[in-house]
Each structure stands twice: as structure tokens, then as C-alpha cells.
């Protein structure tokens, strides 16, 4: 778990909840964008200490160039995006509140072209734009934050061991799965972001098909992705229907692949083996 981050997160979110608990009978208010960015920075710092983040400047630069190109089309103010490649063969990508997006090398390895990787980045950006990750974290913490207010503030004593466990759950909520509704919302946003940034959105359903296919053959390699992002054939049908419903002509002149992407992917494939 992440005790250091959890303590800080508790302090921050606890302060936010205190006002809400007093004014709204215990219902926590929405976390502001500024608070979300602070929380995200703390989570990201902890994640970067714990996961094998790829430091290669070319790899880091390409993923940020591709991701920022998409994020520029997003109208959620106050969030700057940072993208990291994780040296892990497990197929996965996830977003932390505040605009920190992580993509494993195992996922990059399976992307057949630039638009497939861009589809995943756009989907993760969608989770940030829709505040899915911060809401999930807040849900996990609400009951426990109220206990902090009662015990820690009103009764003037620190939270008990049981309460500490609840606090840590807030940290792991970042890695818990999204609902199907959240997935659909992130997909729908992603289609719009991709088209606006000149990238063919068909890369998203084609990559999802590939992951579903791999799940049939070898479930363990794609387990992380499926446990955090519920993916079904129906979800792919919905994305395809949304693409088909775009105004005529919106799919012309969109890019699917690039030399820069192919160079990036081969560099990722040549990285040192992931740590055990
Ligand atoms: Zn998702």
C-alpha cells in the first residue's frame, strides 16, 4: 500500500470534507480541480517511486507528444497531462486523477499502428475529463473521511487502526475497475478527441477487438486491462456505431500510422527486460 501518500491524501481530502460534513450533513463536496491536481501529483510521485517507469528520453518524449496532441483538444481547464511508459509486459493503461496517464510496454507492443495506441490514450484522457478516477477515489474515502472528521477533528484524537485501513483503500481505488457506464463515457469522449486531433478513431475498436481476441487465447496477459476497464463485444459495437454516426466526411484525411510511432514501438521493444 502507500502509507505516505495516503496520509497526505487524507489530510487534503479531510480538509475538503470537513466543510462539507458541517454544511451538508456528512456528504462530501466535489473535489475541486486544484485539489484533484494536488492529489494526482502525490499519487503520481508515489507510483513513480514504486513502478519501473521508462526513463529513455525518446520513449518519454514520443508518448507525451502523442498524448498532448490529443489532450490539447480537450476542454477541461486546469489539467496538464503527463504520460509515462511503464516497463511491464502486462497489457494495461491507467489514469490517475489530475492528468497523469500510465501505459505499460506490453500494451504498446500490441498496438498495430499509431491510431491504436492513440485510442487507448484518448480513452484514458476521457476518464480524467469525466473525473471518473477522482470520483472513484472519493467514493472509497467518503465513509472513512467522515470518521476522520468525527474522531480526528471533533473528538480530538487520531484515527484508529481500522480507520487507517479505510484510508489506504482510498489509494487502491485508483486501481479499481471502472463501471461499464464510465467505460462507455470514456469511449465516447475518446472518439471525439481523436477526430479533433486528426487521428482515425477506428484504431480504438480495432485495438479493443485485438485485446478481446487475446483474452480468449491467453487471459492472463491482458488480465490487468480487463479488470480495470470492463471490455465486451457490446462495448466495441457501441464505439463502432458512434464512429458510423459521425458527420459525413469527418473520417477523411485522418492519420492511422506514422514513422515516428514505428520507431517509438521498436525502441520500446528493445528496452531492457522488465524487473522481476
Ligand atoms: Zn477505461
Amino acid at each position: 500500500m502507500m502509507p505516505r501518500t495516503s496520509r497526505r491524501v487524507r489530510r487534503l481530502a479531510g480538509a475538503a470534507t470537513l466543510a462539507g460534513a458541517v454544511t451538508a450533513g456528512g456528504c462530501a463536496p466535489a473535489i475541486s480541480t486544484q485539489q484533484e491536481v494536488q492529489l494526482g501529483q502525490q499519487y503520481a510521485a508515489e507510483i513513480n517511486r514504486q513502478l519501473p517507469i521508462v526513463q529513455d528520453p525518446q520513449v518519454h518524449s514520443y508518448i507525451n507528444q502523442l498524448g498532448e496532441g490529443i489532450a490539447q483538444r480537450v476542454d477541461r481547464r486546469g489539467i496538464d497531462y503527463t504520460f509515462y511508459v511503464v516497463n511491464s509486459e502486462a497489457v494495461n493503461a491507467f489514469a490517475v486523477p489530475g492528468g497523469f496517464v500510465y501505459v505499460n510496454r506490453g500494451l504498446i507492443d500490441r498496438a498495430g499502428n499509431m491510431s491504436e495506441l492513440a485510442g487507448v490514450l484518448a480513452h484514458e484522457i476521457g476518464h480524467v475529463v469525466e473525473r471518473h478516477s477522482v470520483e472513484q477515489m472519493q467514493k472509497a474515502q467518503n465513509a472513512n473521511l467522515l470518521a476522520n472528521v468525527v474522531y480526528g477533528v471533533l473528538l480530538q484524537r487520531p484515527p484508529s487502526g481500522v480507520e487507517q485501513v479505510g484510508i489506504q483503500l482510498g489509494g487502491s481505488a485508483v486501481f479499481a475497475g471502472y463501471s461499464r457506464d464510465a467505460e462507455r463515457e470514456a469511449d465516447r469522449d475518446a472518439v471525439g478527441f481523436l477526430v479533433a486531433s486528426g487521428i482515425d478513431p477506428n484504431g480504438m475498436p480495432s485495438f479493443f477487438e485485438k485485446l478481446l481476441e487475446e483474452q480468449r487465447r491467453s487471459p492472463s496477459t491482458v488480465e490487468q486491462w480487463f479488470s480495470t476497464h470492463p471490455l465486451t463485444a457490446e462495448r466495441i459495437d457501441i464505439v463502432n456505431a458512434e464512429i458510423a454516426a459521425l458527420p459525413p466526411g469527418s473520417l477523411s484525411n485522418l492519420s492511422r500510422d506514422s514513422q515516428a510511432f514505428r520507431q517509438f514501438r521498436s525502441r520500446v521493444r528493445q528496452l531492457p527486460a522488465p524487473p522481476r
Side-chain angles (χ1 to χ4, degrees):
M1 297 310 279
M2 309 172 185
R4 224 179 321 175
T5 299
S6 298
R7 269 199 302 277
R8 282 196 225 115
V9 166
R10 189 190 72 217
R11 266 205 307 276
L12 259 175
T17 307
L18 179 57
V22 172
T23 57
C27 182
I31 292 175
S32 72
T33 299
Q34 199 192 353
Q35 285 170 323
E36 180 185 337
V37 170
Q38 284 177 314
L39 290 174
Q41 282 167 345
Q42 287 161 0
Y43 273 115
E46 190 62 34
I47 288 166
N48 292 355
R49 266 194 293 275
Q50 296 192 14
L51 293 185
I53 303 295
V54 173
Q55 305 293 341
D56 182 284
Q58 288 180 36
V59 167
H60 189 73
S61 150
Y62 180 81
I63 196 88
N64 278 279
Q65 196 189 311
L66 182 62
E68 278 161 24
I70 301 164
Q72 272 173 8
R73 305 292 161 174
V74 171
D75 61 358
R76 190 173 169 205
R77 286 171 179 273
I79 301 263
D80 288 324
Y81 289 81
T82 312
F83 300 83
Y84 295 101
V85 175
V86 183
N87 193 359
S88 164
E89 299 287 5
V91 174
N92 201 16
F94 62 92
V96 170
F100 300 90
V101 178
Y102 295 80
V103 189
N104 286 0
R105 76 183 285 183
L107 187 146
I108 295 164
D109 182 49
R110 279 149 181 92
N113 57 49
M114 180 275 290
S115 72
E116 293 195 342
L117 176 60
V120 171
L121 297 184
H123 174 91
E124 295 303 329
I125 292 169
H127 280 309
V128 176
V129 170
E130 300 291 348
R131 298 173 51 96
H132 293 151
S133 45
V134 73
E135 277 167 14
Q136 200 166 37
M137 201 167 72
Q138 198 179 15
K139 245 185 269 167
Q141 286 187 331
N142 274 354
N144 155 69
L145 282 173
L146 189 61
N148 280 328
V149 172
V150 173
Y151 295 108
V153 180
L154 303 180
L155 300 181
Q156 299 287 301
R157 70 159 178 78
S160 71
V162 172
E163 288 151 12
Q164 292 288 354
V165 171
I167 288 155
Q168 294 196 338
L169 274 177
S172 62
V174 169
F175 301 102
Y178 293 112
S179 69
R180 277 160 199 241
D181 283 347
E183 287 308 287
R184 260 178 238 131
E185 219 169 19
D187 286 345
R188 193 190 51 217
D189 285 0
V191 169
F193 300 157
L194 289 164
V195 173
S197 40
I199 298 171
D200 187 350
N202 286 299
M204 193 166 56
S206 81
F207 194 53
F208 289 169
E209 296 264 16
K210 208 179 272 183
L211 297 180
L212 263 186
E213 172 64 28
E214 183 159 348
Q215 193 197 29
R216 284 180 209 117
R217 279 183 288 115
S218 132
S220 64
T221 55
V222 290
E223 194 186 342
Q224 281 190 13
W225 171 266
F226 280 86
S227 66
T228 50
H229 303 271
L231 175 58
T232 58
E234 187 211 7
R235 192 179 138 200
I236 297 173
D237 291 344
I238 293 172
V239 177
N240 279 323
E242 259 162 39
I243 294 172
L246 288 169
S250 38
L251 293 180
S252 50
N253 300 319
L254 298 181
S255 55
R256 281 189 74 232
D257 207 4
S258 69
Q259 181 66 23
F261 169 77
R262 287 190 296 271
Q263 280 169 356
F264 161 78
R265 190 182 50 195
S266 60
R267 204 165 171 89
V268 168
R269 285 174 176 164
Q270 286 160 22
L271 287 169
R276 284 273 146 206

